[in-house]
Amino acid sequence: MRIRRMTALAALTLSIPLFVPVTPAHAGANVDASRPGKASSVAEGYGGAISTVDPTATSVGLDVLRRGGNAVDAAVAAAATLGVTEPFSAGIGGGGFFVYYDARKRAVYTIDGREAAPMTMREDAFVNPATGEAYKFPEARVSGVSVGVPGTLMTWQEALRRWGTRTLAASLAPAAGVAERGFPVDATFSSQVAENQAAFGQFGSTSALYLPGGQPPAVGSTHRNPDLAATYRLISRNGVDEFYRGVVARDIVATVQHPPVAQQRIGKWDYEIRPGTMAMSDLARYRVRTPEPTHSQYRGLDVYGMATPSSGGTAVGEALNILEGSNLRALPKAQALHRYLEASALAFADRNRYVGDYTSRGTLEQLLSDGFAAERACLVDPAHALPKPVAPGVPDGSYGGCSRAAAGEANTQGTHTTNLTVADRWGNVVEYTLTIEQTGGNAMVVPGRGFLLNNELTDFNFTNTQAPAADPNLPGPGKRPRSSMSPTIVLAHGKPYLAVGSPGGSTIITTVLQILIGRLDLGLTLPDAIAAPRATQRNTASVQAEPAFLNSPEAKELERMGHAFAANPEIGAATGIEFRRDGRMLAAAEPTRRGGGAAAVVSP
Ligand code: GLU
């Protein structure tokens, strides 16, 4: 359904090129050529490539590449457009993680634009003082308490300053145009409003923008966001200081401290809407960080990911290290999937116990060490699934047997975000995941500014999940909540080979992992690895799996081995690019999940 948006948009914005045709060799079952608009989930060619979940954003990024912009320029322009067309998953009210391969330096760099807690946030921020109980999730989410200081705009500025060739103003301009002219509402957009109708209906600013006549916008109607266009232009004129210290900062703080609850609410909301304590000083002190990427080796390749506060890099890396001892390619498919599920569960146990914003470098190194992986891998029984949850291991640098373990538990996280992958003709690559946490963030549009605030601080654990051990992911002043976002760049002999990422809360980790082993071990093409039915084991009693996975013969075998399954209609919405030895780039997005994504190349 997303594709429809492009048809009308292309008519509106003639400067934005149409999509390149699908390369038949890779089209296969992944592409529905009958859909209008020519947006495709697969494209192959030269001179630069881009893949996002949305045809308008892909189109804007492709245009930047065609006009000589580099991967960073295109990524920022595309992300700013996603803030308009995917406002429930991405935008300047949120945060994210930007991973960059610099072709000249032959090195991978990252930007941590994760939201930060206000300095007043206490460990018990999500515990109701009246009852001593943790808030229910919707009550925590739709509040001022859940809002972290947004990092997205500063991420864009920092990426452009360090590696880009265009200004922030130039990068925001196409997106401002889309916001002002509008775009046709598709089924995904409309349904994302519908699933948020009760929450959005509590706030005048949000219902005015997203509930015209009290209802979700009709599919095919034109959605305009002039306030967001004006906000982008204000920032273009005055710089990001306007957002972190100026009038936009003032409006964010007012929204957090005095949620803009409507006089006439639409629909019923069963929870108290609590204010937060974020202050102007919290916005003013916000900085992006630039940590070293995580690094692990897998089958001779170098895998780079996101360091803390994301757990993505360590969890994907640890699971790959555990799997490296198995020859997945040679094993029957069910056996390979069994090892994938077990490695995921083990890595999640360790993530939950050890990974948070302040995890020491030493612990992170141990989690990614071969010795620790070997100790964890020897717990895997080829014939039987381990009882879940499994206990975390002890990453203390002294490894030997299978026996050492602490005690386990489960985890939760939201399900929506967005991801994009871009490469340019010079060989630079961006893998970028950005989010406002839940679909619809905390449901509050900043009045007059046209963007939703995040609820990222609900990614903290509300109470200790690891007792009697310490929980690394409890709230704290200035602290950043643990993420699962896993933008990943894989190098072969120092050059890009694969870049991939996905939304999906904590399932991001397993989605990225499953795509990597699909491509690297199981003989799938990148488009097929992205399209493949997914299953996710995050150290819980049952494996969540998509219907096509549940119906596969392998699922029956896995059940016989003791894996329990629960259905999940859709897991993740990935994008990726593969780099061929001859210089060709193969860009791939989802063929159907979230309405299908859009991949394009500069020269097919
Ligand atoms: N907030 C989640 C995280 O940082 C992402 C949200 C999602 O993808 O649903 O891991």
Side-chain angles (χ1 to χ4, degrees), residues 442-515:
N442 87 333
M444 297 177 204
V445 168
V446 178
R449 303 293 174 194
F451 64 90
L452 283 157
L453 288 175
N454 70 82
N455 66 298
E456 213 69 55
L457 302 185
T458 60
D459 274 359
F460 284 122
N461 291 331
F462 294 3
T463 55
N464 188 341
T465 64
Q466 302 293 317
D471 187 323
N473 190 37
L474 287 171
K479 193 175 175 184
R480 301 182 182 199
R482 178 175 62 209
S483 172
S484 300
M485 291 189 271
S486 310
T488 303
I489 294 180
V490 180
L491 306 184
H493 311 295
K495 288 201 178 150
Y497 172 54
L498 268 183
V500 67
S502 177
S506 56
T507 69
I508 294 170
I509 290 168
T510 56
T511 291
V512 167
L513 184 61
Q514 198 180 347
I515 292 169

Side-chain angles (χ1 to χ4, degrees), residues 2 7 50 96 126 131 143 157 207 217 258 276 286 292-293 309 337 366 373 384 404 426 481 498 510 518 560:
R2 290 234 164 261
T7 326
I50 177 164
F126 289 112
T131 62
S143 76
Q157 168 171 276
S207 40
H258 308 282
Y286 184 84
E292 295 268 306
L337 290 169
Q366 289 307 319
H384 302 283
R404 300 179 327 138
W426 300 281
L498 268 183
T510 56
R560 276 196 290 279

Side-chain angles (χ1 to χ4, degrees), residues 3 16 28 63 76 129 173 195 254 322 328 354 385 452 460-461 561:
I3 308 311
I16 296 176
D63 191 47
V76 173
E195 74 193 51
I322 293 171
L328 299 183
Y354 299 111
L452 283 157
F460 284 122
N461 291 331
M561 294 164 91

